């Protein structure tokens, strides 16, 4: 596949230093933080609405995972290409294109009257997010040039990103309970329109850089991963010998092999494979895949258990996750302070162990599980582990990266989060489907229809949690494969950060 070279006389123009942008840094910061908020909320705000979505659009229990996966796959698969687009088009223009696509897709999704239309809209949302998301940090870097203002902007960016889970879950519960599931998508429309109006007024355009679009790498990686996810979900519904299941896995194998070939020969590859040459970084990326697999499954299945088995309203389900989100933030802060002494490998192992304990605890719940006595404890333990591990594994992935490759390394980190979440959720859904079918043949005598449904769903959910614990346990083993950084390089990186 060929690469498209994008150059133009405009790429050599100096950026327009609009006076309004320089005089109104508060407005610029508000715009980019609003964009980050909209993007970071999108997964969690939809999560709470999943039970209502399933009933309204007649999703199967396994097919419901595509509401998340269709967004994560296009977002993660095209994220590096979106970052390149921002360099070529200019970051303000890239932001406007991404927000336009995201807003129109949100409107389409809110109006959806079928599962197919909703999934198409979610995939289109992912495309818009992939173009818009990389512009956030780029615009902060170009509009806040002195150390103090940039540190403040980055601090607020981190706070928005860290609190997104809690805000999204609560917001999704409020919208679903008070209005309908459609408003978890409609809510993006006024935010998007406001951004499209405000951005040209306060944000100046950045310099455009000539670059190559690695379209072949982007398409083969995205379609190949989508085929892999579809294969797992199809297997959950139709079995491993189904012709479409086998065909999906075959297509995924061919496309992902072609992706590796393209990336090793491209002049400007979308995924610099040399980043995987370092053993610590390679195992770090794999660890992140496992952790995101377990984390996404936790939110996906626990949301349904709370509402469908325990009878929580969407608002109650959203509030139930707040302690988990708070512990993630608190643990991240504590781990960052402990990083210079403990080192990232130790924090990664401790975090993975805590997540494993939380998931094993969850794997023992019953349909009668009370929130305070059976669910809150494992939530707190899992949250503590997530916050600790993310600090450790992020440090591992960014340590020792050459200055000219920091953008690619951070972009690939985000890609692994999205793709890991989608692929891991697909595997967990396959496990859930098999466990649910087995439970349906072993329902205890004397249960009514509701009791039978609760029993089957709980058996599927707890089996998925047990597999999630296995994934995070593998992360502990991976830390043993990491080499000790020579001459204290790992510690120096931690202290420098």
């Amino acid at each position: 596949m060929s690469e498209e070279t994008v150059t133009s006389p405009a790429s050599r123009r100096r950026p327009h230093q609009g006076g309004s942008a320089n005089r109104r840094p508060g407005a610029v910061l508000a715009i980019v933080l609003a964009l980050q908020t909209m993007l970071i909320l999108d997964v969690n705000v939809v999560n709470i609405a999943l039970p209502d979505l399933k009933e309204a659009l007649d999703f199967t229990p396994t097919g419901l995972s595509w509401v998340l996966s269709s967004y994560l796959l296009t977002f993660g698969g095209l994220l590096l290409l979106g970052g390149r687009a921002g360099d070529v088009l200019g970051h303000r223009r890239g932001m406007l294109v991404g927000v336009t696509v995201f807003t129109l897709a949100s409107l389409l999704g809110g109006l959806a009257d079928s599962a197919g239309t909703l999934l198409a809209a979610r995939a289109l949302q992912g495309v818009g997010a992939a173009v818009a998301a990389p512009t956030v940090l780029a615009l902060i870097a170009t509009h806040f040039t002195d150390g103090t203002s940039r540190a403040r902007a980055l601090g607020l960016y981190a706070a928005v990103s860290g609190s997104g889970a809690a805000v999204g879950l609560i917001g999704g519960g409020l919208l679903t309970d008070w209005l309908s599931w459609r408003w978890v998508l409609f809510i993006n429309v006024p935010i998007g329109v406001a951004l499209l109006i405000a951005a040209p007024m306060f944000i100046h355009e950045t310099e455009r850089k000539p670059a190559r679009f690695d379209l072949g790498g982007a398409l083969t990686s995205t379609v190949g991963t989508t085929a892999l996810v579809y294969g797992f979900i199809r297997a959950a519904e139709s079995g491993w010998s189904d012709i479409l299941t086998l065909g999906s896995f075959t297509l995924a194998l061919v496309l992902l092999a072609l992706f590796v070939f393209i990336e090793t020969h491209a002049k400007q590859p979308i995924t610099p494979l040399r980043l995987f040459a370092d053993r610590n970084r390679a195992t770090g990326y794999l660890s992140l895949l496992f952790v995101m697999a377990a984390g996404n499954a936790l939110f996906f299945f626990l949301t349904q258990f709370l509402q469908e088995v325990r009878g929580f309203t969407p608002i109650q389900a959203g509030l139930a996750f707040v302690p988990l989100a708070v512990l993630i933030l608190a643990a991240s802060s504590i781990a960052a302070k402990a990083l210079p002494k403990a080192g990232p490998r130790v924090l990664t192992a401790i975090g993975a162990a805590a997540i494993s304990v939380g998931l094993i605890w969850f794997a023992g719940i019953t349909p009668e599980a009370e929130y305070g006595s059976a669910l809150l404890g494992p939530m707190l333990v899992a949250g503590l582990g997530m916050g600790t591990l993310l600090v450790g594994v992020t440090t591992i992935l960014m340590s020792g990266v050459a200055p000219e490759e920091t953008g690619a390394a951070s972009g690939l980190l985000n890609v692994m989060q999205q793709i890991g979440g989608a692929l891991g959720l697909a595997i967990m859904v396959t496990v859930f489907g098999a466990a649910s079918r087995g439970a349906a043949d072993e329902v205890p005598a004397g249960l009514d229809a509701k009791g039978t449904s609760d029993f089957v769903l709980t058996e599927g959910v707890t089996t998925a949690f047990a597999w999630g614990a296995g994934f995070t346990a593998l992360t502990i083993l991976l830390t043993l494969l990491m080499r000790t950084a020579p001459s204290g390089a790992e510690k120096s990186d931690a202290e420098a950060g």
Side-chain angles (χ1 to χ4, degrees), residues 433-455:
S436 297
R437 287 193 297 273
D441 297 329
E442 300 176 0
V443 177
L447 292 180
D448 58 13
K450 177 65 167 59
T452 298
S453 174
D454 290 350
F455 174 80

Side-chain angles (χ1 to χ4, degrees), residues 182-262:
R182 297 183 184 276
W183 278 93
V184 302
L185 295 159
F186 282 150
I187 191 63
N188 295 321
V189 177
I191 299 175
V193 170
L195 289 172
L196 292 174
I197 294 172
M201 297 170 59
F202 299 104
I203 295 178
H204 66 69
E205 188 55 279
T206 59
E207 184 177 2
R208 299 169 66 178
K209 304 174 183 177
R212 294 176 182 269
F213 279 162
D214 180 13
L215 297 178
L219 290 175
T220 51
S221 63
T222 303
V223 179
T225 308
T226 301
L228 186 60
V229 169
Y230 179 79
F232 280 111
I233 295 177
R234 179 77 185 183
E237 296 180 334
S238 304
W240 292 95
S241 61
D242 176 73
I243 187 66
L244 285 179
T245 300
L246 297 175
S248 296
F249 284 128
T250 301
L251 178 62
L253 182 63
V254 170
L255 289 176
L256 293 176
L258 182 58
F259 163 72
V260 174
F261 175 81
I262 291 172

